[in-house]
Every structure is written in structure tokens, then in C-alpha cells.
Amino acid sequence: MRRNVSAYVPAAIRRCRRTACVIAGAALLPPLLILPMSGADDPSDRRLQNAFTDAAREFQVPRSVLMSVAYMQSRWDAHPGAPSVSGGFGPMHLLDTDLVKAPALSPEPKAADGVHARPSAGAAGPSTKESAGPSTEEAAGPSTEEAAGPSAEEAVGVTARHAVQPADLQHAARLIQATAGRLRTDAVANVRGGAALLAATQTQLGKPLSTDPADWWDAVARFPGTRDVASAAAYAADVFTVIRQGAHRTTAEGQDVTLPALPGVRPHHRTPVPGGPQRPEEVECPAELACDWLGAPYEEIDDSAYGNHDLADRPRDQPIEYIVIHDTEASLASMFQTVQDPSEASWHYSVRSTDGHVTQHVRTKDEAWHSGSQFVNARSIGIEHEAFLTQPGTWYTEQMYQASARLVRYLAKKYEIPLDRQHIFGHDNVPAPTADSIPDMHDDPGPFWDWRHYFDLLGAPLRATAGPDSDMVTILPDYNTNQPRFTGCTRSGSPCRPHGSSAVRLYTEPRENAPLIQDPGRKPDGEDSTEDVNDLGSRVSAGQTFAVADRSGDWTAIWFQGHKAWFKNPKSHPTAVGAAGHMVTPKEGLDEVPVYGRALPEEEAYPDDMDEPDESPLPYSLLAGQRYVTQSGVGSSYTAKSFGDTPNPVVWGREKYYEIQIGHRLGYVRASDVDVMQSSATTAGPEGEEAPPAQ
């Protein structure tokens, strides 16, 4: 029997055509929010802004509610015709249920010691994210992160086991009497569909189509479709935070969208009654996040190999100093298979794209194999985000950013991890442990991860801490308008679609036609750096801080891997801001200081029965007169790996190191080789700050 769809559309809407409804509904919006009607004479970059206004009038949804929900769904990006990894389309991220093939993303909890089918040791398995386990060389394995991303059919094979999806594209299409194809490709139709769904939900709840945003809490909480009370409430709270704070963004499609702040809005909602599935006792998550447990197995594969993580007793035996941000380069369903395979890599948490749902795999006290460096693994927590870096339209959704930031804030507070870019960094910033492992290190989350927005959500905004003429700078381009040229998103050499980026490109001279900076470690055979989206050799990223080497007009040079590296930094549109802090420079009398990818103890620290690892200086040096930024001292340590029932012993040395921003990746120098100096900044910087101790 055909469903009576009209029953779900408010009667006031059904009684009129679109134009009449828009006129009749105009008085429902606060005067400050009413913008001109969209039409043929509208500037093309205001089309989406006007679409929100028109849809709000038509369906009697407060525009602030409609726009804030869309912001949480997609940050207003449309990606016309391209699905997210969960099959969502358009600014409202409406899920096309006709494409969804498997309703199973939230995992059934499995014991960490469960028996799983597995390939022989060393087999690649289904993962494209190989990371270092306890191998001698600590290499990450060949990088396979150049995939173009999923097709529409591949992308939608996953959705929440507990999800009821009101943000249903097919339902929205019926409500506005349009084809599903139009809602996939036309942002205006997509917004209308989202507004119709919100209005229908409000009516189903027996609530009036109120002009007061505060009356829409329950409809908002139901929009993403989760049955988990905590995550639904957190979603609604985030939407209302956007309403109160307002937002402005230039979207990936070049649409200029502004939501004025309404600081006085306080939602009228009932306190949620606890319900839904109970959180597994193994889970370490903030209370407001929906979290599951899917354990990574700690199993012996044969006499010489085991997987896929190490038992530890952190932070008692080693400090947890870093949080490493990854993207999966695969669907989450595939990654769940990978993390249950003892011959594969592991990580502590996964964050789902569609709604930010978190799944934990390894206890934070234990060491996961995720970064490509045993040294970093031993001191870090690894978080995977469901995404593909080679697609500018990859859906790093706002719900993913929000959930990830909540998780990182929780972990940083628990383990006293500083919220800065030398402690919260990407897989692409992890230092290679040895010189020969540099080409194999991974490149995620890539240039399209919005570090500036992420640190805003962490409550530690990236900003100027000194005047514009300081001797240190923090890279800080405007993400939306900073769109450097990239290639290789779909196939090698082909231009990527212009997209906002955290990356700033480096040149050998202060001109854009100069050669790019070269990375002798990444390309040891002397090949040139390129504009490929996976080539980190000649770029820096938002939040990274460097010592200034020179200035020339609109150009600034920084010390980078032993050389002056120039980037365009015009005062009218700066890509970097002044910074204050500490730098290291070679001690007097030293012409050159080696740089390392790990801070290892001195030879005498190792027991007689333990084979010590070989030191392997990286092919970069600190030369006399050069300076590199440091934000912390680091103690030297090494953990010998073996399979057993107790944590592996940790060898601590007397040798101290400083962590430095040597290039796109971090590095370490011996404290005995360098002097620490404070920046000469006198404005906006810390007063009388002591040098960071070499721990």
C-alpha cells in the first residue's frame, strides 16, 4: 500500500504553493535574519545563503535552527553528487537509504582475546594502513594512502546498527515532491528537503512550528537518527552552541554563508531519561559521547611474532605525551576487520564520519601500533577518523570534528597533554624513527584536515602570541580561502578540485615560480618535490611554529630541515602570525647538530642481555646560527618487545632531548648539543617564561 506521505507535512504547508508560503512565512523569522529572496539576480556565491532563508520561510523552521543543523551535518559544504562515506548528500547530509546496503556500523562487542580468522604473519590483510609493530627497523610499511576514495556504492555500505535516520533523503524527496537525484546534486533542493524533515519531525512530536529556536530542541536531537540518549543530546547541544555563537564560512563550493549569533537562545528541553545500550566497562570516553568497545587481539601468531599491540602500564611506566590524528583511508567496516586481525596494525579509537560515534579498541594504558614509530607509539594515543585524504570532498563532518575534539579534550586532561601542535599532531607529522624509514611514513590526515577549526573545538585556539615582526611564526592560513594547487586526488598528475586547506607551500626563493623545497629523506634519490596531495616535502601546516630565517616584502623564510624555506605571507592576507616561545640552536663551537627520529638512551643504560637499537640520525641537521622551535623536553627511553602476560620493561637513559619542529615532521636533538633561547617578541607573548625542561 502506498504510504500517505502528506500526513507528515504540516497542514499549513500543504495548503499553499511555495511562493505563497514564503510570503506568508516571512513574518515568522526575526527581522535581523530575513535576507533577500533568492532569484536570477542573486550573486552566485549567495545562492546557498538565500536557500536557507527561503526554505526556512517555506517550512516555518527558524532559519537559525535550519542553518545550525546543516552546519553540524556538513559545515554547509554540498559536494554535489558525491556521497559521504555513509551515503549522505548535500549541505543537510541527507542519507540515501536506497544506496545503503548494510545496516551494521556499530560493532557487536568482542572480547580482546576472541579467536578470529587471520592470515599468516606479515600478510597485509584488508588494511591499507600498515603501521609499525615490534619490528627491528620500526618502519611503517609501504604507504598505500593514494586511493581516490570510495564509489557511491562502496561508500554507503556502513551505517549505525542503532540508527533511525530521520535525515532520510528519500523521505525528504517525497516531502518536497522532487526526485532523489535532485536532492543529491542540487544544494537548494537538499536544503528544502532538510527543512521539510525538521518541520515534519516537529509536527510528529506534537509541537508547534514555533518561531522561537528554543522550542526545537527535541526535533534537532532526532535529526541525525541516533537512539543513544547521550549522543543525541550532545548533537543538539552542539547545534544550539552554533545558534548562540553564530558562524561564517566560505564553503568548498565557494558559497559565502553567514549565520548571525543569537546569544540569548536557551533551548526548552526535557532532561533526557537514561536509556539505550549500556557502555562497556572497558571504554574510556567522556560521558557525553556515544562509545563502544571492539577489542584488538593480543595474540601470539608464532614463536617469532605476535600482535597487534603491546601490554603496558602507562602512564606509570611511560608518559602519555602525544595524541596522533589519523584518517582510515578505508571504510570503517574494513578497519574494524583490520583491528581484529593480530597480524595487522592497531589504534586506540575510531571515529565514525556520519555521526562521530566512537569505538575503542585498545586500552589507553596499553601501546597500540599505529604511528610507524615504536618510540611515538609508546608515548601516544592513536585516533583513526573514517575518511579518504585524496578527495577534497572527503567528509570530515562537523559531527566527526566535534566528537573527536571532545575525546581529545578528555584524554588531554586525563593525561596532562598540552594542547599544541607538538603534542596533538597528525600521522603525517610523526618523525620517522630511522633514516631509511622516511619514505614509508604515512601522509594522513592530509592537507584538508582543518587544524585551525579543530583547535577551536579543543578550546585552545591557534592564534598570534607575538607581534608581526617576531622571530617566530605560527602557520595560520584562513582555511576557507587558502586553496593551494594539489594534484593526484583522482589520478596521478590530475589537478584536484580547489578546496580549503591547512597547508602552505614552501619555495627555495621568495617567488612563486621558484623551485619547491626538497626533502632529502623523503626522496633520497634526488627527485623533486611535487604538488601531489600525498607529497609532504615542501609544505607546512596550520598550527606548526617555526623560527624566522628572513623576510622579503610579502614573503617570510623559516628554518626548515637545515635550509631557508620561503612562503608567501602578505600582510593583507597573512598565512602566518607572530609567535612567542623557545628555540634551540647549536651550542657555540658546534658547526652541525644531528637530528633524530626518536630519543634513545645512551649505550650504558641498556642491560647486558638486551640488544640496543642502532642510532640512525635523520638526513637533516641543525647548522650553526639556525634556530628551531621547541615546546617540550623529552626523556630518553626504549622498550624491548616480547610477547607475555606483563608489560615489557622500559629502559630509561640519562640522555635528555628536545623535540623540535624540524620540518613538516617533528624531530629530536640532544639537549647536550643545543642551547635554548627565548624568542625576542615583546608583544602578545608570555612574560618571563622559563625554558621547557629536558625531561
Side-chain angles (χ1 to χ4, degrees):
M1 181 190 302
R2 182 165 181 170
R3 193 173 183 180
N4 182 9
V5 178
S6 64
Y8 292 88
V9 184
I13 297 173
R14 298 198 305 270
R15 286 197 297 266
C16 55
R17 295 177 182 270
R18 180 171 185 238
T19 303
C21 285
V22 170
I23 296 172
L28 298 176
L29 294 178
L32 289 178
L33 298 189
I34 296 178
L35 295 179
M37 290 281 294
S38 60
D41 296 332
D42 291 336
S44 60
D45 63 356
R46 300 286 293 177
R47 185 169 180 259
L48 184 58
Q49 177 84 61
N50 294 331
F52 284 120
T53 301
D54 291 354
R57 288 184 175 119
E58 178 182 3
F59 294 101
Q60 302 179 47
V61 179
R63 196 187 70 165
S64 59
V65 170
L66 178 61
M67 292 185 69
S68 297
V69 167
Y71 187 89
M72 282 299 301
Q73 293 291 96
S74 71
R75 298 184 73 203
W76 300 326
D77 286 341
H79 307 299
S84 72
V85 290
S86 60
F89 289 86
M92 301 302 298
H93 194 247
L94 302 180
L95 185 72
D96 193 339
T97 52
D98 277 3
L99 294 180
V100 175
K101 294 186 292 186
L105 244 198
S106 291
E108 294 290 348
K110 294 177 185 284
D113 60 350
V115 178
H116 309 282
R118 58 182 182 266
S120 59
S127 174
T128 60
K129 294 269 300 176
E130 293 181 300
S131 294
S135 64
T136 303
E137 296 302 321
E138 305 188 58
S143 177
T144 56
E145 299 191 13
E146 298 179 359
S151 66
E153 290 74 18
E154 293 168 338
V156 297
V158 287
T159 188
R161 173 167 54 93
H162 298 298
V164 174
Q165 194 71 34
D168 183 331
L169 185 141
Q170 300 289 337
H171 186 190
R174 293 193 295 270
L175 288 176
I176 67 171
Q177 299 181 10
T179 65
R182 185 174 177 192
L183 270 68
R184 294 188 200 116
T185 58
D186 183 344
V188 173
N190 190 276
V191 169
R192 288 190 66 228
L197 287 170
L198 280 167
T201 302
Q202 184 79 342
T203 301
Q204 286 175 329
L205 292 169
K207 297 177 179 292
L209 300 180
S210 170
T211 62
D212 185 354
D215 293 331
W216 288 75
W217 169 276
D218 291 316
V220 167
R222 283 161 173 76
F223 194 84
T226 179
R227 286 179 178 169
D228 180 87
V229 172
S231 57
Y235 176 86
D238 288 338
V239 167
F240 276 84
T241 297
V242 175
I243 291 174
R244 286 191 292 273
Q245 295 179 350
H248 173 264
R249 190 165 186 265
T250 301
T251 71
E253 293 76 33
Q255 292 292 298
D256 188 63
V257 185
T258 299
L259 172 65
L262 295 175
V265 172
R266 293 293 182 270
H268 306 151
H269 64 91
R270 297 183 300 274
T271 302
V273 178
Q278 294 297 310
R279 174 177 290 182
E281 62 180 13
E282 301 95 335
V283 167
E284 302 162 272
C285 262
E288 66 271 21
L289 277 184
C291 299
D292 277 327
W293 173 264
L294 180 65
Y298 180 67
E299 297 179 9
E300 191 169 23
I301 299 171
D302 56 38
D303 291 339
S304 61
Y306 68 95
N308 60 9
H309 60 281
D310 285 300
L311 301 184
D313 190 23
R314 306 185 307 173
R316 290 188 180 91
D317 57 358
Q318 291 219 69
I320 300 177
E321 299 176 297
Y322 308 126
I323 296 175
V324 182
I325 303 299
H326 303 253
D327 78 46
T328 58
E329 297 299 311
S331 72
L332 203 54
S334 171
M335 296 305 288
F336 284 166
Q337 294 176 22
T338 296
V339 81
Q340 294 177 85
D341 185 339
S343 69
E344 280 284 357
S346 63
W347 51 96
H348 292 90
Y349 297 90
S350 297
V351 185
R352 189 163 64 208
S353 174
T354 181
D355 59 359
H357 186 279
V358 174
T359 303
Q360 186 172 355
H361 310 290
V362 177
R363 293 176 177 86
T364 57
K365 73 179 183 64
D366 293 330
E367 176 186 329
W369 300 347
H370 62 95
S371 77
S373 166
Q374 285 187 19
F375 181 82
V376 172
N377 287 347
R379 299 177 179 223
S380 68
I381 293 170
I383 303 177
E384 289 278 2
H385 299 77
E386 185 184 26
F388 292 81
L389 77 85
T390 53
Q391 285 189 326
T394 291
W395 285 60
Y396 287 134
T397 64
E398 185 62 10
Q399 291 183 65
M400 173 183 280
Y401 277 123
Q402 294 273 355
S404 177
R406 276 196 173 91
L407 177 62
V408 170
R409 286 199 309 268
Y410 164 84
L411 295 170
K413 181 179 181 180
K414 182 176 181 178
Y415 294 111
E416 300 182 342
I417 302 170
L419 293 175
D420 60 51
R421 286 284 275 118
Q422 285 196 8
H423 295 88
I424 313 295
F425 51 76
H427 199 176
D428 52 357
N429 307 130
V430 173
T434 60
D436 59 2
S437 66
I438 295 175
D440 296 328
M441 298 300 287
H442 286 205
D443 309 327
D444 59 299
F448 305 121
W449 180 266
D450 192 343
W451 285 108
R452 188 170 189 167
H453 179 58
Y454 193 61
F455 270 78
D456 284 345
L457 296 176
L458 290 176
L462 302 173
R463 57 184 178 84
T465 54
D469 298 324
S470 60
D471 52 3
M472 287 170 47
V473 291
T474 295
I475 306 301
L476 200 59
D478 178 77
Y479 179 89
N480 301 324
T481 58
N482 179 54
Q483 298 187 358
R485 172 186 161 88
F486 287 108
T487 63
C489 290
T490 55
R491 58 182 180 273
S492 180
S494 296
C496 299
R497 184 167 57 85
H499 195 281
S501 175
S502 292
V504 172
R505 191 155 281 126
L506 301 176
Y507 300 86
T508 55
E509 298 176 35
R511 53 186 177 85
E512 288 183 290
N513 60 352
L516 297 173
I517 284 289
Q518 306 303 306
D519 184 341
R522 189 172 178 85
K523 298 189 176 182
D525 295 331
E527 304 100 319
D528 291 339
S529 292
T530 69
E531 295 177 335
D532 188 89
V533 70
N534 288 287
D535 191 341
L536 306 175
S538 62
R539 67 183 191 228
V540 287
S541 184
Q544 294 180 327
T545 303
F546 295 88
V548 173
D550 204 350
R551 287 187 170 93
S552 178
D554 285 343
W555 290 76
T556 299
I558 55 175
W559 291 118
F560 185 90
Q561 297 180 350
H563 303 280
K564 282 186 181 182
W566 292 89
F567 64 94
K568 197 168 185 179
N569 187 27
K571 291 182 178 179
S572 58
H573 295 91
T575 52
V577 295
H582 298 96
M583 300 171 283
V584 298
T585 191
K587 284 187 177 295
E588 186 175 353
L590 294 180
D591 295 329
E592 185 175 357
V593 167
V595 178
Y596 300 92
R598 51 190 175 175
L600 293 176
E602 64 280 3
E603 182 178 350
E604 311 84 67
Y606 297 92
D608 293 339
D609 60 350
M610 182 181 294
D611 293 331
E612 63 193 78
D614 293 332
E615 281 195 333
S616 178
L618 304 180
Y620 321 117
S621 298
L622 268 68
L623 303 180
Q626 295 183 1
R627 293 163 291 134
Y628 292 84
V629 171
T630 184
Q631 291 175 325
S632 66
V634 176
S636 56
S637 65
Y638 176 73
T639 307
K641 305 295 184 179
S642 63
F643 182 74
D645 296 329
T646 58
N648 292 309
V650 180
V651 176
W652 286 94
R654 294 187 304 274
E655 190 78 66
K656 307 299 181 184
Y657 289 77
Y658 284 105
E659 180 186 51
I660 62 169
Q661 192 71 61
I662 182 66
H664 188 84
R665 298 188 186 275
L666 297 162
Y668 302 96
V669 291
R670 289 193 179 99
S672 57
D673 287 338
V674 298
D675 289 323
V676 180
M677 55 192 299
Q678 189 167 351
S679 64
S680 60
T682 57
T683 59
E687 296 289 340
E689 185 180 353
E690 296 183 358
Q695 298 172 350

